[in-house]
Amino acid sequence: MALRVDLTFDCVRAKVLAEFWKLALGYEDEPPPAPFATREEWVASFGDLEDDGGDGAWLRDPSGVGPRLVFLEVPEPKVAKNRLHIDVRVGRSAGQWAVISAKVAQLVSAGGRVVATFEGHHVVMADPEGNEFCVAA
């Protein structure tokens, strides 16, 4: 049986980041595991988790190819650069820079910000919590 990789992000605002990354990657909310009707019901099944007062969000690639993304709220803010980042690949085409630029504009309108632009190649961005990622062909 092949193993599956999930990417889990500790963050301050799980729902905000989940909405941003759904837009960035075309992901969708992952339903709770059976037999639970909601994520809240599933979380409650773990009992009283004193250290875990935060929210969470679980996303999946609708095609089933990409990794699951999990966003878990933690009380402490980010203090250093991540050692792992996501590359958002928009696909190679004759007008790939226009496609990259359009995706960047969409993500800026959703709360992302441009960190650096490498004209014709890629754009380094930050999501609403400052996690850096790249948009490239």
Side-chain angles (χ1 to χ4, degrees):
M1 178 173 141
L3 297 176
R4 187 179 77 166
V5 173
D6 292 346
L7 300 177
T8 301
F9 299 85
D10 288 346
C11 58
V12 176
R13 299 171 299 162
K15 299 287 188 204
V16 170
L17 278 187
E19 290 303 314
F20 180 85
W21 285 105
K22 284 194 302 191
L23 177 68
L25 301 175
Y27 272 39
E28 63 189 16
D29 291 318
E30 182 182 69
F36 303 101
T38 66
R39 280 284 172 185
E40 292 75 18
E41 189 180 296
W42 174 72
V43 170
S45 74
F46 294 111
D48 185 24
L49 302 174
E50 291 179 29
D51 295 342
D52 185 33
D55 208 351
W58 293 259
L59 305 181
R60 69 178 179 189
D61 176 355
S63 70
V65 175
R68 180 171 76 152
L69 301 182
V70 180
F71 300 93
L72 300 176
E73 286 188 5
V74 296
E76 66 277 356
K78 179 181 162 179
V79 295
K81 179 181 178 185
N82 292 347
R83 296 201 178 241
L84 171 73
H85 69 265
I86 293 174
D87 287 341
V88 177
R89 298 289 185 167
V90 297
R92 294 199 179 277
S93 66
Q96 69 189 32
W97 187 247
V99 175
I100 291 169
S101 298
K103 189 64 169 181
V104 167
Q106 179 188 42
L107 297 177
V108 166
S109 70
R113 68 179 169 81
V114 173
V115 174
T117 300
F118 298 86
E119 191 74 32
H121 191 264
H122 71 280
V123 177
V124 178
M125 296 189 69
D127 69 16
E129 286 207 0
N131 301 302
E132 290 188 6
F133 64 98
C134 291
V135 179

